[in-house]
Amino acid sequence: MSHTFGIRQAQKQKTRQALLDAALGLLEEQSLSSLGLREVTRAVGVAPTAFYRHFRSTADLGVALVEEALGSLHPMIRTTVTTADTSEERITRAVELIAGHVDAQPAHVRFIARERHGGVQPVREAIREQLGRFAEEVKTELAKDTEAEGWSDDDLLMLSHLYVDQMLITASLFLESLEASPEERERISRRATHQMRLISIGRHHWLD
């Protein structure tokens, strides 16, 4: 019985992932608010009723895509922040992380960029929650720096949001340059590094 149950669970997970993958592919050309569940199930080759065994609605599917797109980044960002010895090294690693993630997962990045201010409220809220988690995680690590002495939690969180927002902007720029020349991508890397460095310089003088 347990063996049969395991096979069924594996098949269920396989179908769920197929629905997510199909939706992500369809969302390359449209927004989530215009996506129909019949489009998704047709792409997977299952009956529309099968959709509801995995998701309550397309909005629910969208929330799952947000988790898939951003959830795996939390340990990578924590590692980037915690293992760097200096703010300059931290910035360099952050830009490299963003560039690598865009190259590896362009469809996920495009989905987040489009739906962050899109028309599906649960998805907007899910993205906002994930970005808030990133900011809290960055704040926790920044608070360990000697430069954080005298800073309030609110100010540290504000600084963390500045870094996270800049990382999103950088991801969008790398996304637009996927087919660009290496020189153009290097220009984007330099610009992103300078912008984060400017935030860092402001940090040094905030308590002045």
Side-chain angles (χ1 to χ4, degrees):
M1 178 66 76
S2 61
H3 177 66
T4 302
F5 177 76
I7 292 174
R8 288 176 179 171
Q9 286 297 106
Q11 183 58 48
K12 183 177 180 181
Q13 181 58 37
K14 183 178 179 181
T15 302
R16 184 181 189 276
Q17 188 60 52
L19 290 167
L20 288 169
D21 293 343
L24 191 63
L26 291 165
L27 289 170
E28 290 272 15
E29 304 296 335
Q30 62 182 305
S31 66
L32 183 64
S33 59
S34 66
L35 182 68
L37 70 86
R38 289 181 180 274
E39 287 181 84
V40 180
T41 55
R42 189 182 306 119
V44 176
V46 298
T49 52
F51 181 91
Y52 294 106
R53 298 191 194 115
H54 305 276
F55 306 103
R56 295 185 299 273
S57 62
T58 53
D60 189 36
L61 179 147
V63 171
L65 281 174
V66 172
E67 173 61 32
E68 185 176 77
L70 296 177
S72 64
L73 282 175
H74 289 283
M76 286 191 283
I77 288 182
R78 283 196 297 269
T79 299
T80 296
V81 176
T82 57
T83 59
D85 294 327
T86 65
S87 60
E88 191 69 22
E89 184 180 355
R90 188 177 282 160
I91 289 168
T92 299
R93 290 187 180 184
V95 173
E96 290 173 350
L97 169 65
I98 296 164
H101 185 66
V102 172
D103 287 343
Q105 303 289 346
H108 279 132
V109 176
R110 189 173 292 109
F111 167 73
I112 295 299
R114 178 183 289 137
E115 299 301 329
R116 185 185 181 193
H117 303 292
V120 183
Q121 182 178 352
V123 174
R124 291 199 311 271
E125 291 175 350
I127 294 172
R128 190 181 309 120
E129 180 183 351
Q130 287 282 349
L131 297 181
R133 282 180 57 196
F134 286 134
E136 287 286 352
E137 289 162 359
V138 172
K139 185 197 83 168
T140 297
E141 298 307 322
L142 292 180
K144 299 174 183 178
D145 294 346
T146 55
E147 298 160 313
E149 186 176 348
W151 281 62
S152 68
D153 280 349
D154 286 345
D155 283 354
L156 276 174
L157 186 58
M158 176 180 64
L159 174 65
S160 300
H161 275 291
L162 285 175
Y163 279 122
V164 171
D165 287 345
Q166 186 58 49
M167 291 174 78
L168 284 173
I169 293 170
T170 301
S172 295
L173 291 173
F174 276 123
L175 186 64
E176 293 171 3
S177 70
L178 282 174
E179 304 299 326
S181 66
E183 291 78 16
E184 175 63 15
R185 288 174 62 81
E186 177 59 28
R187 187 188 68 80
I188 292 171
S189 292
R190 287 198 304 270
R191 178 182 175 187
T193 299
H194 290 161
Q195 288 172 328
M196 288 195 191
R197 189 178 293 153
L198 182 59
I199 295 171
S200 183
I201 291 172
R203 176 191 185 186
H204 296 321
H205 297 282
W206 178 249
L207 295 180
D208 294 350

